[in-house]
Structure formats: structure tokens, C-alpha cells
Amino acid sequence: MSQKEKTDKKEHLLEVAERVFGELGYEGASTRVLAQEAGVNMAMLNYYFGSKDGLLKAVVERRVSSMKKGFEEICRQDISCQEKLTQILQLYVGRVATSKYLHKIIFREISVVRSGSDLSDYILEVLHGNAQVVQQIIEEGIRNGEFRAVDAEMTVTSIFGTVFYLINSRRLASKMLGMDLFNDQVLQEETKPRLLAYLKDYIQVYLLTDETEK
């Protein structure tokens, strides 16, 4: 098997595993089910990832590490703090809207401590790191007079919490917003633009100083 074939097979396994873990949870996604859904034998699954825990960590790591890299690249740009925050929100909401299973996995992992697993700690560390990037942008904006002197930590909690709530409380959020958040097309074409518009308004109304708006 060529290197490209190995890479393609590994990517296929990760895509299938993300869906299966998202739909069935950790306990329901046995290695037999994972291998069957991916069309491979269990030996190949173990060859690439070592164990079910290894596969789950690889699924999460692939998504969250790329988002972390995207956040950091935005921060290095020579643009205003408002523009940095706007770009980060566009990236974050876009990824969330196209990775519907990932946030189910993340929510379960940080809510339930499984014996012998360090995945929850890993997820919390990465999520906290992403939140700190946003907090640093807000604090920089406060220092340079672009943003009002707000509670930066609570602001970060509000931003991420809004997105987290919509994705992980879809039944209630669907009723509140009057749209079906379980429908992928609705999520992409209606919910995503509406959420981005709200968060941009939030930044402008809550964070920007009168001087900045001028």
C-alpha cells in the first residue's frame, strides 16, 4: 500500500469514526462497529490508532488542532482587534456548522469522566487554549482603546457559550429560534448566517467604544 493510500485510508477511518462516535457515543461505538462501518478489519483499525481511545483522540485532535492553528494565524495578522475577532468567529462558527458530530463528542467527553482516559483533559486543554486566544484579543483591544473595559473572561464565555448552546441543546434551540437545527441545510443556510450576524452585532454593540465607532 502506497503512502497516499495509507493516508486516504486513515482519513476515511477518521471520517467514519467521527460519525459513529457522534451517533452512538463512546460506549455504543465498539471497535467491531467502527471497523464494520469503515469497511476494514479490526486489525487495521488497531494498526493506525492502537485502540478505540486512540481513534477517538485522533478524531478530536484532527479537528480542534486545525482550529487552534487557524486562530493563531488570524492573531498574527496586522489588522484591528475587531477584525481579528470577526475572522475568528467566522472560522469557529463555520467549523461548528460543518462538524455536527464533533461537538456531540466533545460535550460528552467533558461531561463524563471515563476511567483510564485522558481525552477529557486533552479536550479541555485545547478548548481553554482557544478561549484564551479570544480573551487575549479582547484584552489587547481594551488596552489600545478599541474596546470598552469589559469583563474579558465573561465576554469569552458569552461568545463560546452561545454557539455551544445552539449546537448541544438543539431541541430547545430549534423551538426558540423557530428553525430545525437538526436539518443540515437549515443549519448551513439559515442558522449559521443568523448566528454570525448576531455575534458581529454583539461585538459592535457591547465591545466597541464610541471613539472606535466613529
Side-chain angles (χ1 to χ4, degrees):
M1 185 182 295
S2 68
Q3 186 59 46
K4 183 180 184 306
E5 288 174 326
K6 288 181 179 180
T7 301
D8 290 345
K9 179 65 72 175
K10 189 173 182 179
E11 282 297 307
H12 171 67
L13 281 168
L14 288 170
E15 288 289 343
V16 172
E18 184 174 321
R19 174 179 58 80
V20 175
F21 279 125
E23 290 177 344
L24 304 180
Y26 179 84
E27 299 300 335
S30 66
T31 53
R32 186 177 300 278
V33 170
L34 287 162
Q36 184 177 9
E37 289 291 317
V40 301
N41 57 46
M42 287 189 286
M44 181 172 287
L45 190 151
N46 290 328
Y47 169 75
Y48 282 113
F49 303 104
S51 64
K52 186 166 76 167
D53 276 357
L55 175 56
L56 181 56
K57 184 172 182 179
V59 165
V60 174
E61 188 172 24
R62 181 178 65 142
R63 296 289 191 185
V64 297
S65 62
S66 65
M67 189 175 296
K68 182 175 184 290
K69 182 179 178 182
F71 279 22
E72 291 170 346
E73 288 174 353
I74 290 170
C75 286
R76 287 194 291 268
Q77 295 183 57
D78 186 20
I79 54 179
S80 69
C81 292
Q82 180 188 4
E83 184 58 32
K84 287 179 183 179
L85 204 50
T86 299
Q87 287 190 24
I88 279 179
L89 290 175
Q90 289 172 334
L91 172 63
Y92 180 61
V93 172
R95 293 286 178 86
V96 168
T98 55
S99 307
K100 63 179 183 178
Y101 296 115
L102 179 69
H103 274 67
K104 287 183 180 180
I105 295 169
I106 288 175
F107 181 74
R108 287 176 183 142
E109 287 301 312
I110 63 177
S111 301
V112 179
V113 178
R114 289 186 289 106
S115 177
S117 174
D118 62 350
L119 183 59
S120 294
D121 289 340
Y122 167 77
I123 292 174
L124 285 172
E125 182 181 343
V126 174
L127 294 180
H128 183 241
N130 288 347
Q132 283 187 312
V133 171
V134 176
Q135 183 176 329
Q136 288 164 7
I137 293 173
I138 294 171
E139 290 172 345
E140 180 187 346
I142 293 171
R143 286 194 301 271
N144 67 26
E146 187 178 347
F147 294 156
R148 297 190 308 110
V150 299
D151 185 327
E153 293 170 341
M154 285 301 296
T155 304
V156 173
T157 301
S158 297
I159 291 171
F160 282 101
T162 299
V163 181
F164 199 74
Y165 178 82
L166 290 181
I167 297 302
N168 291 292
S169 303
R170 294 195 193 192
R171 290 184 63 190
L172 180 56
S174 293
K175 285 183 174 294
M176 293 176 67
L177 297 180
M179 53 177 61
D180 182 7
L181 272 69
F182 291 96
N183 184 306
D184 288 344
Q185 185 175 356
V186 171
L187 190 64
Q188 283 291 324
E189 297 178 4
E190 299 179 38
T191 312
K192 177 183 168 183
R194 185 174 174 183
L195 176 57
L196 276 173
Y198 166 76
L199 291 173
K200 288 177 182 178
D201 282 347
Y202 177 79
I203 291 172
Q204 186 162 359
V205 173
Y206 181 66
L207 285 178
L208 296 186
T209 64
D210 293 337
E211 195 64 34
T212 306
E213 292 175 340
K214 293 176 183 178

